[in-house]
Every structure is written in C-alpha cells, then in structure tokens.
Amino acid sequence: MHLADCFDLPRGYVARPYAGPDDLPEMLDSLIAYRERAGLDERPTLDQMRSTYAHLTDCDPDRDIALFRTDAGEPVGYSRTAHDDLESGVRDCLVFAPIRPEHLDQAMFNAVVRGIERHMADRAAEVGRARYRADAPHPGPGLPPTGEAAWLEQLGYTATEWGASLRRPHLDDVPDLPLPAGVEVRPVTPDQVRHILEVHHEAFRGEWDFHEASTDEIDRMIEDPLTDPSLWQVAWAGGQVVGQVKPFINPEENAARGYLRGYTEYISTHSDWRNRGIASALLARSLVVLRERGMTEAVLGVDTNNPGGAFHVYTRLGFELRTYEAVYTKPIDLVPPQGLEP
C-alpha cells in the first residue's frame, strides 16, 4: 500500500503521493519551517534535497513518500519513510514527517504517526525484531517533554538516546593542540574522498545506530553540494586514516540568517586511536580553517552518551549547548503466522 493511502487525517487535510523532484521545493519549505519552530537554524538547500533524493536508501519514492495539503491545496508538510537494519539485528522503521507550524497540533501529529506505523508494519514483519524510531526536540534529559516529544510518549514511545546541538559563538582563542607522535594531517586528494568517508562510517561500528553503509549513502555524501574536502582535517598514521573532522559552510543559510557560520561535523576517530587527543586537535584545526574562510562562529551536533566522551571534548573547546533532541523508539509487536512458534 502507498504511504499516502495509510493516513486518516483530520478534517480539511489530504495526503497525496510524491510526484517527483518537482515536489522538492515545497518539501524543502516545509522542512525549513518545521526546523525553525524547533529552534534549529540549519537550512538545507534545494541542491542538497535533490542530491539526497537521488540516493535514497531503503526508501522507494513511488511508495514511501507522501505530501500533505489542505483541501484548498495549501502545502502542509510531508513524510518520507525508510528503515535501517542495525548491526544489533533490529530493524528501525523511521518515523519522519516535517509539518509546517501553523498546521502542527496533536491531532494532526497523531494521525500522521499512526499512518506511518500502518505503512511500515509490513516492513517490520519481514524481520524478527523491529521498532519504530522518531526524533523530536526535547528540553533535555530529566525534564518533562513538550510538543512532539510529549505526544510521542502518549503514543507509547520512549526516549532511548539523546543528541545535542552545540555552538562556539566566536572563533577567537582557538588552542593549538598537538597530534600524537607519528600522526599528521595531509591535504585531501580526490582519490581519497571515498576511502575517508568509508573509514568514518566504520568508526561507529558497535554504536547503537550502526548499520552497514550502502553505496548510495557514500555517494550521497560525496555528491552533497556542501561537501568541501579542502576544509577537511584528516589525520594519518602512515597509510591509515586515524581521525577526521569534515567542516562545511552553507552560504545560502549564512545569507538568509545573517551570520557567518561554519559546521565542524562528521567527526570520528579510529577505534584503535581514541583517547589520544586526535579529535580535539583536529577540531581546533577545523575552527582555524573556518576562521581563515571568514567565518565567525561554528556549530556541531553530538550524541551526548557517545562512549568516547565527545560531548565533554567539545565543551572544553568552547562549544556551548544550544538544544537537545531525543531519539524515541517503540517496539513493534510482530505476531507470528498461525501455527508457528513465536
């Protein structure tokens, strides 16, 4: 069944199937408006959306994307469903639906989430263990949820992981931190880009959301219009990549928001080289290179329970907490066919 056929929306709203790339500008506007309501400044570009939708993973655009509108044809939002088969053996069925703030209330939210769950039920039944997974803005661990987070909890979801957005409000006084002996940063050459990205993905093996990277995922990162290897800070020990920070700049966002911000994202350290100061040294270098490109502040996102203690590394380097986001999950009860053991 098509995703658009799974929704029982409140009166005055309809869902329709995705009609192709011509829908992306409307979807981008919905995504930006939704993120602004959540207190997030990041503005994806239309070129990024086109690149993403050219390399979708475990998502069939002819089945798994729907747009929401009012009966009068006013854009409301959209949903794109997909799944991740995790290293743990669990299939995460992703619940994602940016709704424009003027149309986002609990009735609309609940109807959309329930429709996504109906659509993903068959996908869940293909495997032995599955759960729904959604992200939601949250005041923070230990605080009562609000908005979508509270609504998810009422629908049976539980906050199981936490992420945070951090900002360094200036790029002054960046420390000069040394790399370990035998480790050096080299300029990235085009033939190294795919390998560096593959090493980055592998560095997260064993974490809660790890899944094997597909060719489409790596291609999407390579072809992202904001990917700029000239900014990357990649540490090598001989022929081995041992750490990396891959900054980027979004000129469209900076122009729209009126700031000069760079992103120090996609940070990883090889498992054999952790706790030697590599990430801190590369992050400091990244702040300097962003400053040299004319930026005046930097932002990054982090898993707050990262086993490498990344959150504390970043705050020691002058980054300040901006917002929290909770990862919500709900187990899917998979009823075995009649006559079979569960």
Side-chain angles (χ1 to χ4, degrees), residues 9 11 13-14 23 33 39 43 61 67 85 88 118 128 142 145 158 189 194 226 230 257 264 296 330:
L9 299 176
R11 184 185 301 273
Y13 294 100
V14 295
D23 279 336
R43 288 177 61 99
L67 277 70
D85 287 330
S88 63
R118 291 187 198 103
T158 302
T189 59
R194 180 174 294 274
L226 300 185
S230 71
R257 301 293 190 205
T264 50
T296 59
K330 181 168 80 169

Side-chain angles (χ1 to χ4, degrees), residues 95 106 109-110 113-114 117 130-134 145 147-160 327-333:
V95 177
Q106 188 169 8
F109 181 84
N110 288 356
V113 171
R114 289 181 177 127
E117 291 179 350
R131 63 183 185 175
Y132 299 117
R133 186 177 100 206
E148 299 99 301
W151 301 338
L152 282 168
E153 292 194 7
Q154 292 174 27
L155 290 172
Y157 287 74
T158 302
T160 51
V327 178
Y328 275 92
T329 59
K330 181 168 80 169
I332 301 174
D333 292 327

